[in-house]
Amino acid sequence: MVVGPTAVGKTGLVAALAAQLPVQVISLDSRQIYQGLRIGTAQPTAQEQQACPHHLIDFVSPLEKYSAMRFREDFARVYRDLRGRGIRPLLAGGAGMYLTALRDGFLDVPGTSPQNLAAVRARLNLLADPEIRQQLEAVDPESFAAIHPNDRYRSQRALEIHQISGIPMSTLKARQKPDPCLGLRFPTVVLERPVPELDARIARRTEEMLATGWLEETEEALGRFPARCPGLKSIGYREIVDHLQGRLPRNRLEAAIVLVTRQYAKRQRTWFRHVPHASRSHPDDPELVPTIRQLFQPS
């Protein structure tokens, strides 16, 4: 796996690897899955695809919700196909939940049902961040201490698990036995950049995306799909929809996208900080490609 926050430089590293190794990429991205949302999700271009084919991109309708469980199933299917053809897959992306789904499997949460989950989630969605943190500290102090105060998603998920099962998430995790997909090992390379450098790359990429048709892409998607569909809730698309529907002026659009993207990158950095890894380095480190080549060697 090659993982890291958005705009860190995964695409450039993949290109460098593809020039030296017969690899194909299985995308570890929760938004590149959507059909027709090519620019704003930074799907690989046709030229990049020709140099190194990518899988699990551009195959889900924007109307559909997609889950980590479904990703694990799709990964297993694609992995078997590639290995059956003698191709070694490289996972690349920034979806921490998908990474965990592959390496650890899923928590067995007693009492879970679609109806129960939906009801608990609806209640918790109404709470402010401080309320989520306060309630989590009361019922699961271990998870409260382990989760960053600004990580709303993981804090709410931990509280959600307790409300469904009556058992702290930390207790369930301590009981959980790792269940790696297909029994595989997943040596992981985490890419990092200094925050000012990453912020500058996010701003530059946002400007380029808007200049190359992101607005038009979103407008076309709005002609076919409702504004509140899962695909159009993706970062950046939400802001462009607000602009197209008159809620966000054009002169504030780019800054709004940059802001939410930087906030997302911060959450990703927090997530990957705790990921077990074989290597952690800057994408331009000259030792990085040789390190990954070594990880591809049979153990």
Side-chain angles (χ1 to χ4, degrees), residues 175-227:
R175 297 175 183 171
Q176 182 187 22
K177 295 181 179 179
D179 179 27
C181 186
L182 303 177
L184 297 170
R185 294 184 306 109
F186 294 93
T188 301
V189 173
V190 180
L191 303 184
E192 298 178 318
R193 289 181 185 270
V195 173
E197 187 178 315
L198 184 64
D199 284 351
R201 287 174 62 89
I202 288 171
R204 187 162 59 249
R205 190 177 72 169
T206 300
E207 181 181 10
E208 291 169 356
M209 286 175 166
L210 289 169
T212 54
W214 194 1
L215 278 168
E216 292 77 10
E217 178 181 78
T218 308
E219 193 166 24
E220 181 181 347
L222 270 177
R224 295 183 290 135
F225 307 109

Side-chain angles (χ1 to χ4, degrees), residues 5-7 31 40 198-199 202-203 205-206 209-210 214 232-242 248 252-269:
T6 186
R31 294 299 164 179
L198 184 64
D199 284 351
I202 288 171
R205 190 177 72 169
T206 300
M209 286 175 166
L210 289 169
W214 194 1
L232 288 176
K233 287 183 180 179
S234 301
I235 286 175
Y237 287 96
R238 290 173 296 190
E239 288 68 33
I240 294 177
V241 168
D242 282 346
L248 182 64
R252 290 171 47 199
L253 175 60
E254 187 171 326
I257 295 174
V258 168
L259 176 62
V260 295
T261 307
R262 287 174 175 171
Q263 291 170 339
Y264 175 56
K266 182 178 180 180
R267 295 194 298 273
Q268 289 177 301
R269 293 197 304 272

